[in-house]
Amino acid sequence: MGVINHTIIHNSVEEYIANVRDGEFLSDIVIVKEKEEELFKYVKENSLKDNLLLPLLAYLYLHGIGVEKNLDLAKKYFMKSSINGNKDADEILKEIL
C-alpha cells in the first residue's frame, strides 16, 4: 500500500501557521497563491521571535513562495534551525548542500 498524500490547502496565514505549529510537514501544507506574499511577510517579521518559524522561512526561500527563490538564504535559515535542534532542517540541509 502506498503513502497517502494529504495536502492541506489554506486560505489564511493564521490557519497555515497553526498547522506548522502542529507539526505538519511543510511540503504537505499549501497556502493559496494570493496569500503567499502575506505569509512570507508574517514569517519574516516573526521568525526572530519564534524559532518554530525559522524552518518555514527557509522553506519559503528555498521554493520561492511569496519571495524570489534564494538558496543562500534558505541554507542560512535551515542552518539556524538545525542549530536550534530541528531534525527536519538537518535532513533538508543534507539534500541542498
Side-chain angles (χ1 to χ4, degrees), residues 3-53:
V3 175
I4 298 172
N5 184 349
H6 67 282
T7 301
I8 303 166
I9 300 173
H10 293 293
N11 291 310
S12 81
V13 170
E14 294 81 11
E15 291 173 358
Y16 186 98
I17 297 299
N19 270 141
V20 170
R21 292 187 190 289
D22 288 343
E24 285 289 336
F25 290 110
L26 295 177
S27 59
D28 290 340
I29 51 178
V30 178
I31 193 155
V32 293
K33 188 88 173 149
E34 297 80 23
K35 295 288 186 170
E36 287 180 355
E37 287 183 22
E38 181 183 342
L39 174 66
F40 175 77
K41 182 179 177 185
Y42 175 88
V43 172
K44 181 139 174 79
E45 289 175 358
N46 291 283
S47 63
L48 295 176
K49 301 180 274 190
D50 186 345
N51 286 335
L52 288 175
L53 296 178

